[in-house]
Amino acid sequence: MHHHYHGMVPDAQAAQPDAHSHDHSHKHDHDHDHQQGDLHYGKGEAGLSVPGLGQRQLIAIEMDVLAKNNALAVHNRDHFEATCQLVLNLVSSPGSGKTTLLCETLRRLEGQRPCAVIEGDQQTSSDADRIRATGVPAIQINTGKGCHLDAKMVHDAYHQLPVQEGGILFIENVGNLVCPASFDLGEKYKVAILSVTEGEEKPLKYPDMFAAAQLMIINKTDLLPHVRFDVERCIENAKRVNPYIQVIQLSATTGEGMDAWLNWLASA
């Protein structure tokens, strides 16, 4: 469970009518201060602002939701460890090439290590169908309006998968670099996938995700001659957020760098 609020205002008072009376025969003739300035809605303790709710209330709600999720994540981790599963939570923006990379990875691991996939999207089973076409079992989770997978969803999907001992379970999360950062699914590692078409500032714009990730994959490197993307700056930005993050550059399309990724999986 995760709450999102739209039409936010900096505080509850801002949503209330002005206490002073207005002459409604005039159309909004009161003065506005048109000085420009950045708006920051995440400076409070809760990291967000919702009309009518104080920071302590927001923190209490978030702590309750995350506590219930994390308790089930511990339960998931027990299941995964019992079957010696390497469980990875693949996270990224939409369009980073997660599914293409995953399909190529599964093809290369065929006959070497048993794999299974939990696929998360808001709607459709198209990505899970692509996974199943490789011969690997996959369960699709459609989250509806939800913007992330949670531990309960993964728990339910896992018990429908024919997992084999010593395998790899790939969890492909909903395309979103915000909410999935907060939700432990029971995975061993989060792997953040960033394509060269997105921009090297992503780790600074979404620091929570890159701080939580053990590995950043810079994907679609075959497109580097055609885009303005500074690889070194991207790595530098990621290490500013997370000095311990590992980085692999690859192209799932050409295969360049895939060996480094497979070696990382073998030693993870």
Side-chain angles (χ1 to χ4, degrees), residues 43-54:
K43 282 191 170 181
E45 292 177 84
L48 77 161
S49 177
V50 178
L53 289 177

Side-chain angles (χ1 to χ4, degrees), residues 45-237:
E45 292 177 84
L48 77 161
S49 177
V50 178
L53 289 177
Q55 291 289 300
R56 289 185 181 179
Q57 290 173 288
L58 291 170
I59 291 171
I61 292 170
E62 182 178 25
M63 288 179 65
D64 181 58
V65 170
L66 292 180
K68 290 174 181 175
N69 178 84
N70 292 344
L72 192 48
V74 170
H75 178 70
N76 288 349
R77 197 166 277 113
D78 290 341
H79 279 305
F80 301 152
E81 290 176 356
T83 53
C84 301
Q85 297 292 306
L86 169 62
V87 183
L88 301 176
N89 183 2
L90 307 183
V91 293
S92 79
S93 299
S96 68
K98 281 198 307 296
T99 310
T100 299
L101 172 59
L102 185 49
C103 287
E104 182 60 23
T105 302
L106 296 172
R107 281 190 282 268
R108 291 178 181 240
L109 288 173
E110 186 177 4
Q112 300 181 36
R113 194 167 178 182
C115 296
V117 174
I118 294 174
E119 183 66 44
D121 285 299
Q122 286 191 305
Q123 295 294 340
T124 82
S125 63
S126 59
D127 284 352
D129 292 340
R130 289 172 62 188
I131 299 298
R132 293 178 188 127
T134 69
V136 171
I139 296 291
Q140 178 76 49
I141 297 175
N142 286 143
T143 61
K145 291 186 177 181
C147 56
H148 63 275
L149 296 177
D150 62 30
K152 175 67 163 62
M153 297 174 185
V154 169
H155 176 272
D156 294 347
Y158 180 74
H159 285 291
Q160 295 188 45
L161 279 170
V163 297
Q164 299 181 45
E165 189 162 333
I168 305 177
L169 173 62
F170 295 95
I171 303 172
E172 185 176 347
N173 219 314
V174 179
N176 177 5
L177 283 175
V178 182
C179 308
S182 301
F183 283 80
D184 183 6
L185 306 179
E187 75 272 13
K188 185 173 184 181
Y189 298 125
K190 286 183 174 67
V191 177
I193 301 167
L194 171 66
S195 78
V196 302
T197 59
E198 295 177 66
E200 60 270 9
E201 303 298 320
K202 272 283 172 70
L204 300 182
K205 291 181 177 180
Y206 302 94
D208 289 352
M209 181 59 80
F210 288 88
Q214 280 71 27
L215 173 68
M216 176 176 72
I217 292 178
I218 300 178
N219 193 20
K220 304 186 185 181
T221 55
D222 56 298
L223 298 180
L224 280 171
H226 310 290
V227 296
R228 301 177 69 176
F229 182 88
D230 188 330
V231 173
E232 294 307 315
R233 184 174 175 183
C234 180
I235 295 172
E236 179 185 324
N237 288 339

